[in-house]
């Protein structure tokens, strides 16, 4: 027996609702034949919402049951969309991409699948990527950063300086240039950052969101941010001892 669903969505000459497109795709993915009703004008859309007592479109019906908008539909199929909850997805995506980029770049440079250079570039690429995410909205980052960073609480401008310092150290470490500058910068910001996170999470037992991937982050403060800072410290120490180790 064919499963059918009714979908009402905005399809106008100047605007096609992306959530309507996603709703149609999700229904078809789950084997439904979709009666796709287009709301082609703002007046038609407003009249539809008033008639059914809803605030948004798209709206989906399966049988006589109104499921709701895209988020409700996703939840109906067991895939709730929780934008308010914490998630490690941003940092997982970033570190995975930086690892692949480092492996690819090191392969071109050394001809080896795995190398010390790949590990170095993974850390320095990650520093650059994290700095970029902070710099997208430095005001939001600095505000969230003030929740836990020990130095920023005492000297507010440090919250604005931090992303630039992290990015500078990352670029210089990638290029293996000006170690006299990149090493102390990474040691300084990484050391203070690690101490700040450790105190906030493991001593004060505070539940905060991490500013490591920007001020709009839902990543919980804890292991990830501590690791970011320890990576910077470790990279700086490695660059100090590398001439003696090689």
């Amino acid at each position: 027996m064919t499963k059918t669903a009714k979908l009402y969505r905005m399809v106008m000459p100047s605007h096609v609702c992306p959530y309507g497109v996603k709703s149609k795709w999700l229904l078809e993915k789950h084997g439904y034949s979709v009666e796709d009703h287009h709301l082609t004008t703002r007046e038609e859309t407003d009249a539809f919402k008033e008639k059914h007592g809803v605030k948004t479109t798209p709206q989906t019906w399966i049988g006589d049951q109104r499921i709701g908008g895209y988020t409700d539909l996703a939840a109906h199929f067991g895939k709730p969309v929780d934008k308010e909850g914490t998630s490690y997805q941003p940092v997982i995506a970033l570190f995975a991409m930086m690892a692949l980029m480092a492996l690819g770049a090191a392969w071109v440079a050394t001809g080896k699948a795995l190398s010390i250079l790949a590990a170095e570039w993974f850390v320095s690429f990650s520093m650059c990527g994290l700095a970029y995410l902070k710099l997208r909205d430095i005001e939001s980052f600095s505000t969230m950063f003030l929740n836990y960073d020990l130095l920023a609480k005492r000297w507010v401008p440090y919250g604005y300086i931090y992303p630039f310092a992290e990015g500078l150290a990352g670029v210089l470490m990638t290029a293996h240039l000006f170690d006299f500058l990149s090493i102390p910068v990474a040691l300084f910001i990484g050391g203070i950052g690690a101490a700040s996170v450790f105190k906030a999470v493991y001593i004060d037992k505070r539940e905060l969101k991490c500013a490591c991937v920007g001020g709009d982050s839902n990543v919980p403060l804890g292991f990830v941010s501590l690791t970011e800072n320890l990576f910077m410290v470790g990279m700086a120490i490695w660059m100090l001892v590398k001439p003696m180790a090689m």
Side-chain angles (χ1 to χ4, degrees), residues 71-101:
T71 300
D72 300 310
L73 184 62
H76 177 78
F77 289 127
K79 298 179 180 180
V81 180
D82 183 6
K83 294 184 178 180
E84 299 300 322
T86 58
S87 172
Y88 287 101
Q89 182 177 341
V91 288
I92 292 171
L94 182 134
F95 285 139
M97 286 302 302
M98 295 303 111
L100 292 172
M101 287 174 60

Side-chain angles (χ1 to χ4, degrees), residues 120 172-173 176-177 179 182-183 234-243:
E120 292 175 350
L172 294 179
M173 287 178 168
H176 293 85
L177 288 174
D179 291 352
S182 64
I183 291 173
M235 181 69 166
I237 293 173
W238 164 247
M239 295 185 72
L240 278 173
V241 304
K242 180 179 176 180

